Amino acid sequence: MHPPISLIWFFLTAGVSIGLFTFTYFMEFLILFGKNTAMPRQAVIISLVISLILIGLGAIGASFHLGHKMRAWKAIKRFHTSWLSREAVFSGVYGFVLFLYGLAYYFNANPFIQHSLGILTFVLGWLSAFSTAMIYASNKFVLEWNTSLTVLYYLNMYLMLGSSAFLSLTYFYRPEFIPTYLFLTFLFVSLGLAFRIAFNIRQFIIPRPTINEALNLPHNRPIRVLDTGTTTNNYCTEEFYYKKGKDLLGSVLPVAYILTFIVPLFLIVYAWITGNYNYNFFKIAFASLVLGSFLERWCFFVEGNHVQNLFYGLYPEEGYRLRKGYMERKKTVIRL
Amino acid sequence: MAQFALVIDLNTCVGCHACATNCKEWNTQAAFGPLSDFDPYGKEPQGVWYNRIMTYEMGEFPNTQVFHLPKSCLHCQDAPCVPVCPTGASYKREQDGIVLVNYDDCIGCKLCSWSCPYGCREFDEADKVMKKCTLCIDRIYDESLPPEHRKPACVLTCPAKARFFGDIEDPNSEVYRVIKERNGFVLFSDAGTNPGNHYLPRTETKVHVDEHLLKHDNPLFLEVLRRHHVGG
């Protein structure tokens, strides 16, 4: 699948926004149970402003993959059937309620109102994340995506981004929470690594359809694509088979693994074990996580193989035989 | 419920691309046009087509068969492209089962094409909306046309008469009859989309190669003999 950069941008911005808000509000929520977890007022306001700006930038960025940006509001019409519609509604309302929560917090509104808005923002944020993940997971024609792993992994990535971002806030405002957030970041990054490995292993074992199934022909008939009707690529081959990406995948995926998981894990475990809470470690870990997540999402798209590629002979089972132009002569070997 | 669809006879289709060409011609000028072209005189001319013809070779040499597969929107009875559309621009008509896109509501998110297992939707970069076969709905309901012309452009133009059009749910229709009589099948039946368009399977023929029919200067002469005798 061709990776839309605007959707990767939305993933990063919404991920940091919802993840950061989750931990910011989590600390506020614990106060209700008599815990001394209140972050200084300035830290909460900074965190809420960052979350609000990021979700706003995410919504603007995501609209760039639409053909008609000015009609984006129409995406709310099919809430009852479309995960994209649900994502649009939930992320929009999340941003709005987050703004209300920010106002309530800033003006010291009644605690009941504050916490009601906080819980509502939390729920809406995660419903938005879930809806985004379901857009991919519910697509049964991209088998790599069509699994609950996609959802679990996606939500965990938000927690990875959020906990590592919140780590920086604790460094400046409540250093005594640094070990807690080091542990949480370690936990979510480790889980992310496990989910990612499982996601990659699964790609080797999923039973895939063949061109015979696509054409509804008997399995014992070898079938070859002779001609796809056009001598060049078309929308279908460019959208569903990104050749340049497939060629680069082998190099990009290891870098994504290193930046998303290995570098942050190394820095966090090092800080955790040595007790050397150097801010640069947290900064680099977060930056590496964001950059790695960008590459990881890019790989996620490129790894997706749409079953419509079967008609073009561009499916893993078919060995990606055809190349751009489709008119290349196959080498004929005659053994006598 | 009525389900208008095409039935394509794979025995008769010669892969001449007349259906695709006439489809492009009609739909570029009619109510659902244009179907944009990009870089038409360049190295890689591209364009939006409602109908594309694939050519496949089946079997092993020398017993191979080539067949052509014209593929346009299959107007699935459980169309997966419809529920995923966030705006309702993609919809299935109850009265005849035709799946359409309302260009005024389409936001160009491409999700419908992601959910189509057949690759039958194409994004028009010029209009920034998703386009697909309409079964020439602007022709088939046009009462100013003589009744025999109220058919999709591809059906009217097919020189081999390989295409049939009608209501596949109506037992009195020609399409219903040919599907039943000649074991009409659908693409990707496991996808659970229940497509409207059907294909009539090829009648398989077995080629027997006699030695005396072979030319001795054929570069594949020995290969054919070897396979023929070994049975490979």
Side-chain angles (χ1 to χ4, degrees):
Chain A
M1 300 287 288
H2 198 287
I5 301 300
S6 54
L7 295 188
I8 301 177
W9 167 254
F10 180 76
F11 163 77
L12 290 174
T13 49
V16 178
S17 170
I18 293 168
L20 189 59
F21 175 80
T22 298
F23 292 106
T24 307
Y25 181 69
F26 178 62
M27 302 301 265
E28 293 293 304
F29 186 69
L30 287 181
I31 303 168
L32 288 175
F33 301 93
K35 308 279 182 196
N36 174 26
T37 53
M39 294 293 279
R41 193 174 163 73
Q42 194 188 356
V44 175
I45 289 170
I46 287 172
S47 170
L48 294 180
V49 169
I50 290 172
S51 294
L52 199 56
I53 289 173
L54 283 177
I55 195 68
L57 289 176
I60 293 167
S63 73
F64 276 86
H65 89 284
L66 300 178
H68 286 277
K69 295 158 195 61
M70 300 308 286
R71 295 180 192 164
W73 67 270
K74 291 189 178 183
I76 60 174
K77 283 185 178 175
R78 277 280 185 88
F79 184 82
H80 58 294
T81 59
S82 169
W83 283 109
L84 181 57
S85 186
R86 289 167 194 164
E87 180 209 32
V89 170
F90 285 135
S91 58
V93 181
Y94 160 75
F96 179 68
V97 182
L98 174 64
F99 175 67
L100 293 183
Y101 175 74
L103 286 182
Y105 185 86
Y106 186 77
F107 291 109
N108 275 328
N110 180 313
F112 176 75
I113 295 174
Q114 272 193 44
H115 285 288
S116 301
L117 286 172
I119 292 168
L120 191 61
T121 315
F122 172 84
V123 172
L124 286 166
W126 285 98
L127 283 174
S128 154
F130 182 74
S131 306
T132 315
M134 281 303 289
I135 293 172
Y136 307 111
S138 65
N139 189 335
K140 61 180 181 176
F141 303 120
V142 183
L143 296 172
E144 289 79 3
W145 299 354
N146 185 220
T147 162
S148 47
L149 248 174
T150 303
V151 179
L152 291 172
Y153 179 48
Y154 199 92
L155 299 184
N156 186 73
M157 295 272 278
Y158 276 27
L159 291 171
M160 277 162 59
L161 290 166
S163 58
S164 58
F166 198 79
L167 190 58
S168 298
L169 277 182
T170 58
Y171 178 85
F172 287 114
Y173 294 100
R174 291 292 295 267
E176 65 271 29
F177 286 130
I178 288 177
T180 309
Y181 277 89
L182 276 175
F183 169 72
L184 286 176
T185 309
F186 170 77
L187 177 72
F188 296 129
V189 176
S190 307
L191 272 175
L193 178 60
F195 284 137
R196 209 354 157 153
I197 291 171
F199 181 79
N200 277 125
I201 290 174
R202 185 180 169 273
Q203 291 177 23
F204 291 101
I205 55 174
I206 40 175
R208 294 176 192 276
T210 62
I211 190 168
N212 293 58
E213 282 170 46
L215 298 175
N216 212 345
L217 291 169
H219 283 270
N220 57 356
R221 304 283 200 288
I223 296 171
R224 286 178 294 283
V225 183
L226 292 187
D227 184 43
T228 53
T230 47
T231 52
T232 60
N233 282 337
N234 58 48
Y235 166 75
C236 292
T237 55
E238 287 185 347
E239 179 72 9
F240 301 112
Y241 181 74
Y242 182 42
K243 185 177 180 304
K244 206 183 285 178
K246 291 279 184 202
D247 292 344
L248 285 171
L249 190 62
S251 321
V252 178
L253 190 59
V255 178
Y257 259 99
I258 290 168
L259 290 179
T260 319
F261 306 111
I262 309 301
V263 172
L265 275 179
F266 174 78
L267 291 171
I268 283 158
V269 170
Y270 181 79
W272 197 14
I273 290 172
T274 60
N276 178 9
Y277 301 149
N278 187 331
Y279 180 61
N280 285 330
F281 288 173
F282 306 154
K283 225 168 37 179
I284 295 168
F286 179 69
S288 175
L289 200 52
V290 170
L291 186 59
S293 300
F294 178 89
L295 297 178
E296 190 281 330
R297 282 294 99 182
W298 184 90
C299 295
F300 172 81
F301 279 103
V302 177
E303 284 168 301
N305 292 294
H306 199 287
V307 295
Q308 79 95 29
N309 288 339
L310 283 165
F311 293 104
Y312 292 89
L314 298 167
Y315 205 64
E317 289 293 297
E318 309 303 317
Y320 301 125
R321 276 197 302 254
L322 296 184
R323 293 289 179 267
K324 195 173 184 181
Y326 302 124
M327 298 300 281
E328 282 180 1
R329 281 183 174 276
K330 285 192 273 297
K331 280 181 187 169
T332 307
V333 181
I334 302 173
R335 292 189 191 88
L336 298 176
Chain B
M1 199 176 88
Q3 174 62 62
F4 282 20
L6 297 170
V7 176
I8 298 160
D9 187 349
L10 297 184
N11 286 291
T12 326
C13 176
V14 291
C16 67
H17 291 241
C19 52
T21 312
N22 200 31
C23 166
K24 177 104 171 173
E25 190 271 341
W26 171 258
N27 286 299
T28 287
Q29 64 172 335
F32 289 89
L35 300 182
S36 312
D37 282 322
F38 307 98
D39 197 19
Y41 302 106
K43 279 184 182 171
E44 294 189 356
Q46 280 199 30
V48 181
W49 297 74
Y50 285 168
N51 187 10
R52 290 182 187 271
I53 292 93
M54 316 279 194
T55 301
Y56 299 96
E57 185 186 45
M58 181 174 68
E60 277 195 73
F61 178 83
N63 292 311
T64 54
Q65 291 195 14
V66 170
F67 66 95
H68 309 282
L69 186 93
K71 186 158 65 68
S72 55
C73 173
L74 307 173
H75 299 279
C76 304
Q77 305 204 35
D78 302 310
C81 53
V82 171
V84 299
C85 175
T87 65
S90 193
Y91 64 101
K92 187 169 176 69
R93 284 161 54 96
E94 280 187 12
Q95 59 268 48
D96 49 25
I98 297 177
V99 178
L100 291 179
V101 180
N102 178 353
Y103 296 163
D104 291 336
D105 276 349
C106 178
I107 56 174
C109 67
K110 301 179 179 174
L111 194 57
C112 55
S113 70
W114 285 19
S115 65
C116 171
Y118 308 104
C120 290
R121 287 173 165 253
E122 299 201 11
F123 187 71
D124 190 328
E125 285 291 346
D127 286 353
K128 301 287 182 194
V129 292
M130 194 55 74
K131 295 188 173 176
K132 62 177 283 301
C133 163
T134 63
L135 269 183
C136 286
I137 195 167
D138 49 343
R139 283 194 73 93
I140 61 178
Y141 288 113
D142 188 346
E143 292 185 358
S144 67
L145 292 172
E148 65 273 20
H149 283 195
R150 292 179 204 164
K151 288 179 180 176
C154 57
V155 176
L156 289 170
T157 200
C158 179
K161 301 285 177 235
R163 302 172 81 97
F164 306 88
F165 167 72
D167 179 4
I168 59 163
E169 296 290 328
D170 176 9
N172 298 316
S173 70
E174 184 187 24
V175 282
Y176 182 92
R177 186 176 52 78
V178 292
I179 291 170
K180 293 290 173 199
E181 285 178 0
R182 297 175 58 190
N183 291 325
F185 69 95
V186 295
L187 296 181
F188 231 133
S189 52
D190 291 344
T193 56
N194 205 359
N197 284 11
H198 281 64
Y199 293 87
L200 302 180
R202 278 185 72 96
T203 313
E204 290 205 25
T205 49
K206 197 83 178 169
V207 178
H208 181 73
V209 184
D210 281 328
E211 287 177 29
H212 72 271
L213 291 176
L214 290 168
K215 290 179 182 175
H216 288 263
D217 55 351
N218 181 349
L220 291 174
F221 176 69
L222 289 175
E223 165 69 2
V224 174
L225 273 189
R226 186 187 66 79
R227 282 182 172 251
H228 185 54
H229 288 303
V230 177

